[in-house]
Structures are given as structure tokens and as C-alpha cells.
Amino acid sequence: MNEPLLMQNQEGALNQDTFAQQEFINLKNKFGLKYAIETGTCLGYTTEFLSKTFNVVRTIEISTKFLGIAKENRLNKYKNCKMYLGDSSKLLNLLLDGLSNKTLIFLDAHWGNHCPLKEELKHIANSGIKPVIAIHDFYVPDRPELGYDSINGQPFTFEWLKEDIDNIYGADNYHHYYNDKSMGAKRGIIYILPKNL
């Protein structure tokens, strides 16, 4: 199936960011992560990488067209990958059902004026699990070369989401860090980990 050109470096996991791919693998190996949840399947390049890396993958995409392309071109062969069609701001709880703390959640469903980040974090808080979270397109302090997104003039910053993150782990029960190297599209990423993982 022909694929539309949607963004730079789209033909590779995490927009061809091999440093981010390696960090996901490092987190999996260090903490024994078994599950991966992704919001924003898009064309499925990152989903394919996750399916090769984790035991169980669940991914959600709001676009029927994009999910169809992802399934046909790369995801149907992965039996450990379950795909959902819908809006992550409403349906993320379905993907989280039955999972443990040994989960990586990659939030990347924001696009244009659609930004479900705060709702996604509320779903995670309501699930009761304490996963590792990675958010793409994030503002990295003092790294202007790393791209990030904004919604209604609000950049994706830790300060903006701190209350939502506190609700997941408790105010002093997690730590966070950012990517310091990037390839491909050179996008910022924040990683959030519970202290007792």
C-alpha cells in the first residue's frame, strides 16, 4: 500500500533516531520491561520496532487510513502486537487493562491541534500502574537543536505536565531525564521512571 509523506525521517522507528531506539532497549533490559504501549501508531515504523523488542505491544491510532497502511505494510506479521482504532484520550484505558509496572508507555499521538497528552496521563494514573513513560516531541532544556511540539502556544514541558505526572507516581516517587543525543528528525524526548522499579 502506498504511503503518504507525513514528516521527515518517517521511514524508521522514532523518526530514525537510533539513540532513542537504543535507550528503549536499555530501559527494557535494565528493568525487565515486558510490555509496550504506544499512542499514535501512524504508519507503524515505531510499532514494528517495539514488536521486535517487547513481548507484548498494544498500539492505538485515530486515523483509519494510517492504521490500515501500518497493518498492511508492516504490522500484520507480528502476533504479539494488538492494534486499536480510536482516540487515545478516550480509549487508552483499554490498552492498559491487565498490565503490570513492567511496561513502557510511549506517548506520541499528538499531531497538529490534537493533543491528548493530559488525558493520556490521567488514564495512566487511573490504571494504578507505575510504568516507564517516554513522551516524544518534548522540550529539552538548553538543547535548542532538539525539536518539540506546542499546543495553543504551550510548549511540551515538564512544568506543564508535572501535576499529571505526580498523580501517577506521587510527587517524590519518580525521576525524569531527557535525551542528550538524537539522530534522524532530532526530536526531544522525556523519560519518566518510578523510583522503585
Side-chain angles (χ1 to χ4, degrees):
M1 186 179 287
N2 289 334
E3 299 188 0
L5 181 61
L6 303 173
M7 65 194 82
Q8 276 189 316
N9 305 98
Q10 74 181 25
E11 294 180 350
L14 293 141
N15 301 116
Q16 298 183 11
D17 189 341
T18 55
F19 289 111
Q21 293 168 34
Q22 188 58 53
E23 186 64 11
F24 278 33
I25 293 168
N26 292 345
L27 288 166
K28 179 213 172 201
N29 292 338
K30 183 175 182 179
F31 297 110
L33 306 181
K34 299 182 181 306
Y35 310 98
I37 302 295
E38 175 192 40
T39 65
T41 314
C42 199
L43 302 178
Y45 287 97
T46 300
T47 320
E48 182 174 37
F49 161 75
L50 294 172
S51 299
K52 290 176 180 177
T53 307
F54 292 86
N55 296 2
V56 176
V57 175
R58 297 175 183 173
T59 185
I60 188 167
E61 172 57 47
I62 198 169
S63 165
T64 304
K65 177 181 177 181
F66 294 169
L67 192 61
I69 292 170
K71 282 182 180 180
E72 182 173 325
N73 289 4
R74 57 196 54 86
L75 298 182
N76 272 336
K77 62 186 173 186
Y78 295 100
K79 303 303 181 193
N80 63 329
C81 179
K82 186 167 183 182
M83 294 160 265
Y84 296 74
L85 176 66
D87 185 338
S88 60
S89 69
K90 299 173 182 171
L91 300 176
L92 182 56
N93 59 306
L94 296 177
L95 283 72
L96 297 169
D97 186 48
L99 297 185
S100 73
N101 292 351
K102 298 296 184 179
T103 301
L104 171 76
I105 301 180
F106 179 51
L107 302 180
D108 196 23
H110 35 272
W111 183 273
N113 290 324
H114 179 71
C115 182
L117 273 176
K118 282 188 164 283
E119 291 81 6
E120 290 171 341
L121 293 170
K122 285 175 186 168
H123 280 293
I124 296 168
N126 290 338
S127 76
I129 68 170
K130 311 288 189 241
V132 173
I133 298 174
I135 306 176
H136 207 218
D137 309 303
F138 215 82
Y139 172 75
V140 178
D142 303 316
R143 296 300 299 271
E145 75 278 13
L146 299 179
Y148 60 91
D149 284 357
S150 300
I151 184 71
N152 298 323
Q154 170 61 60
F156 290 6
T157 64
F158 173 73
E159 291 74 21
W160 177 52
L161 296 177
K162 183 180 184 304
E163 183 178 349
D164 303 290
I165 296 167
D166 287 352
N167 287 338
I168 295 171
Y169 304 101
D172 298 314
N173 293 321
Y174 65 92
H175 60 274
H176 71 281
Y177 63 96
Y178 305 95
N179 57 326
D180 60 358
K181 296 179 182 176
S182 184
M183 290 184 67
K186 296 186 183 295
R187 305 296 289 177
I189 304 174
I190 187 173
Y191 297 94
I192 310 158
L193 293 77
K195 286 185 177 177
N196 62 348
L197 188 61

